[in-house]
Amino acid sequence: MTHDNGRVERRYFCEGKQRVETVSVGTRPLIIIRRPDLGVVWAIHPEDRIYFESKMEEVDANAAKLFPPVEVAWTELRQTRIDGGLYRHFCGIGQTRHGRGEEHIYVDPASGMFRRERTRLRGIRSQIDYTDIDLSRPKDELFDFDKKGYKRGRT
């Protein structure tokens, strides 16, 4: 996903495990690995060779304080043509995790690939992000972290 502020994210999900790789303009990369099976979240700074480890319960409790509950009403709209393919189109309006706004999901029934478009109103401006998602299974190695050669940071 590429945001309009230049931040680039890659997200991987598999069996409850998550990995998010983020690079912003002028900053160093950050990797977040969430492992419910181990009950930990790792924040890894690969260039600095530093990592932070937190208990998942603490991270979830802090996130619940920062983000409002999601309350989105979804409706299926007419099919939409994107890059020559015919996609099912769903529109959700309400309180998203990014604030009040709307989200559009376009699903290719043949391949299972989908695209998400999020619009958030800021005064009279709107912000739109596109995400193309591959539903194939990511490699298991993406969700592992070997602490060898890394220093543990203080939280």
Side-chain angles (χ1 to χ4, degrees):
M1 174 188 324
T2 303
H3 297 269
D4 58 359
N5 63 3
R7 187 175 81 219
V8 176
E9 286 184 3
R10 288 190 179 90
R11 295 175 176 252
Y12 304 91
F13 301 92
C14 183
E15 299 168 355
K17 298 179 271 189
Q18 300 173 21
R19 178 185 176 109
V20 179
E21 301 172 358
T22 305
V23 178
S24 296
V25 176
T27 65
R28 297 178 176 191
L30 172 66
I31 300 170
I32 305 289
I33 299 176
R34 183 180 174 89
R35 292 289 303 266
D37 56 330
L38 302 175
V40 297
V41 176
W42 292 305
I44 306 163
H45 300 268
E47 289 185 8
D48 297 325
R49 308 295 291 176
I50 295 174
Y51 76 97
F52 298 88
E53 183 174 299
S54 303
K55 293 181 181 178
M56 212 161 65
E57 297 85 26
E58 295 171 4
V59 173
D60 290 345
N62 289 334
K65 294 175 189 173
L66 294 174
F67 299 105
V70 174
E71 296 177 15
V72 179
W74 289 96
T75 306
E76 184 167 5
L77 304 176
R78 66 181 180 172
Q79 292 187 334
T80 303
R81 189 167 297 281
I82 300 174
D83 298 331
L86 202 54
Y87 286 67
R88 291 177 69 189
H89 180 191
F90 300 88
C91 176
I93 299 175
Q95 181 69 39
T96 71
R97 67 184 189 94
H98 303 286
R100 256 200 93 67
E102 63 183 65
E103 294 192 15
H104 295 266
I105 305 285
Y106 303 93
V107 180
D108 179 0
S111 68
M113 293 283 289
F114 69 91
R115 173 177 292 217
R116 182 183 74 132
E117 173 186 311
R118 181 186 70 196
T119 305
R120 180 174 35 169
L121 297 177
R122 292 184 174 167
I124 58 172
R125 290 182 51 206
S126 66
Q127 172 186 355
I128 300 174
D129 294 327
Y130 294 96
T131 305
D132 287 320
I133 299 174
D134 181 357
L135 297 177
S136 62
R137 181 183 172 90
K139 295 179 181 177
D140 289 333
E141 298 85 51
L142 288 173
F143 305 104
D144 291 328
F145 172 55
D146 182 5
K147 300 174 188 174
K148 185 177 180 182
Y150 280 80
K151 292 186 281 184
R152 184 172 179 151
R154 295 183 184 181
T155 54

